[in-house]
Amino acid sequence: MKRILLYIPLVVAGLVWACSSVPITGRKQFLLVSDDEMNSMALTSYKQFLDTNKVISPTTQQAAMVKKVGDKIARAAQQYFEQTGNPNYLQGYQWQTELVQSSEVNAWCMPGGKMVVYTGILPVTQNEAGLAVVMGHEVSHAIAKHGAERMSQGMIAQGLLAAGQVGLGIAMKDKPQATQNLWNTVFGVAAPAGAQLTLLANGRGQESEADHLGLIFMSMAGYDPNEAVSFWGRMAKLGSGSKPPKILSTHPTDEQRIADIKSILPEALKYYKPSGSGGVQRN
C-alpha cells in the first residue's frame, strides 16, 4: 500500500507532463519522457547499430527501393499531420532508412524516424507495396510514441524515478545502468525476464495500433492497403515454424491480425490514391 501511495504523485505528474493521445486511434497515453529525450537516445543507439552491422550501399537496387518507400511513407505521415491541423507533430524527426544485411525477417523504426530494414524480410515483402506494409507499420510505432510509452511504464515498474519526478534525463542521471537496461529491453536487446514480461503485456495492443496507422500512411503514400492482407498471410506461413520471426513475437495471432486489418481497410481506402499524391479523404 505504501508503495502505491508513493507513486500516486508520479502518476499525476505524468498525466500533466504529457496529456497525449495517439493520432488516428485517439487512445490516451501515459508518458513520462519527452520527444527530445527519446530522439536523442535513439540517435545514439542507431549510430551504434549502423557502426556494428553491414549497411547495404544505397546504390544497389534493393537499398534504393527501401529508401524510396521509406521516403514516401515519411512524406505521407507529414502530409497527414499538415492536413489534419497539426503540422508540428513530427517536429524533431530526422528521417533515415537503411537496408542492413541480415537473414533475420525483421525491420524497425526508432523514435525520431531512424529506421532499419533487414534484407531477410525482402523475400516476404516481394514488392514495393509489401515493403510499404512493413515500413508503414514500423514508422507508426515511432509516430504513436510506443517506445516512450513503454519506457514510462518500465520506469514506474522498476522504480527508476522518485515520486513527483519525470524525464528520461533524471532517470539516466540517478540510475544510469538500470535505465540503459530498460532502454535496451524496450528496443529489443536482451534484458531480465521479469522486466521483459512486464513491458510486453501491452505489446499486442501497440502492434494492432501500428497496423491501423500504418495502413493509413501507406495508403496516403500511394500503396494499395489491400496488400497488407497478402503480406501478413505470407508472414503467417513463416510464423508457423519452430522459430517464428522476431517481428511476430508480440503481434496478435495471424487470424486476428488479418481480421482486424480487413475491418480497417474501408477506412484506409478513403486515403488511397494510386498516383501517390496522397491526401486526407473525408466523407
Side-chain angles (χ1 to χ4, degrees):
M1 177 61 70
K2 289 182 179 179
R3 187 171 184 178
I4 292 175
L5 291 175
L6 177 66
Y7 282 116
I8 287 176
L10 180 57
V11 173
V12 173
L15 293 175
V16 173
W17 170 269
C19 248
S20 180
S21 59
V22 178
I24 299 175
T25 69
R27 179 177 64 84
K28 298 299 180 182
Q29 287 182 300
F30 175 76
L31 302 175
L32 293 175
V33 294
S34 70
D35 290 345
D36 287 345
E37 290 175 317
M38 292 295 293
N39 294 353
S40 177
M41 284 195 70
L43 179 59
T44 298
S45 296
Y46 190 70
K47 288 179 177 178
Q48 291 173 347
F49 177 87
L50 295 183
D51 286 343
T52 55
N53 287 271
K54 182 179 179 181
V55 178
I56 303 299
S57 170
T59 61
T60 66
Q61 183 176 4
Q62 287 184 328
M65 177 180 67
V66 166
K67 185 179 186 308
K68 174 186 176 182
V69 176
D71 288 349
K72 291 179 70 174
I73 295 291
R75 285 196 299 269
Q78 181 61 43
Q79 185 179 39
Y80 174 86
F81 290 107
E82 289 174 353
Q83 295 185 8
T84 53
N86 197 3
N88 296 322
Y89 186 88
L90 297 177
Q91 185 174 356
Y93 278 63
Q94 297 177 353
W95 297 102
Q96 182 178 349
T97 305
E98 301 290 352
L99 179 64
V100 169
Q101 183 68 49
S102 173
S103 60
E104 188 175 322
V105 181
N106 204 4
W108 44 263
C109 184
M110 302 194 81
K114 300 301 185 181
M115 181 179 246
V116 161
V117 175
Y118 295 126
T119 54
I121 203 170
L122 297 182
V124 189
T125 59
Q126 294 188 354
N127 51 49
E128 276 193 34
L131 190 57
V133 175
V134 174
M135 299 181 78
H137 173 94
E138 300 302 336
V139 160
S140 294
H141 277 305
I143 291 175
K145 303 181 182 179
H146 288 160
E149 190 172 18
R150 294 176 72 188
M151 283 295 295
S152 301
Q153 294 166 353
M155 286 193 294
I156 290 178
Q158 298 182 27
L160 299 180
L161 290 172
Q165 290 182 328
V166 292
L168 189 54
I170 293 175
M172 282 297 294
K173 179 181 178 182
D174 293 345
K175 299 181 181 179
Q177 189 57 58
T179 305
Q180 185 64 57
N181 290 343
L182 175 60
W183 174 273
N184 293 340
T185 301
V186 169
F187 291 100
V189 182
Q196 185 89 350
L197 290 173
T198 299
L199 291 172
L200 292 182
N202 294 323
R204 294 183 187 274
Q206 291 181 340
E207 294 296 341
S208 296
E209 194 165 60
D211 283 343
H212 190 162
L213 273 65
L215 287 175
I216 303 301
F217 297 141
M218 72 173 290
S219 297
M220 290 188 66
Y223 296 106
D224 186 353
N226 286 292
E227 179 63 26
V229 175
S230 300
F231 169 77
W232 288 113
R234 296 192 293 271
M235 286 295 292
K237 294 179 181 178
L238 293 180
S240 62
S242 58
K243 188 178 180 181
K246 286 184 180 180
I247 197 172
L248 298 176
S249 60
T250 59
H251 286 203
T253 63
D254 301 324
E255 296 80 5
Q256 186 62 53
R257 155 170 265 129
I258 291 174
D260 289 345
I261 285 174
K262 287 181 177 178
S263 71
I264 299 168
L265 279 175
E267 176 188 356
L269 285 166
K270 294 178 183 178
Y271 296 82
Y272 176 47
K273 288 188 175 182
S275 65
S277 58
V280 176
Q281 305 297 301
R282 295 181 173 85
N283 292 331

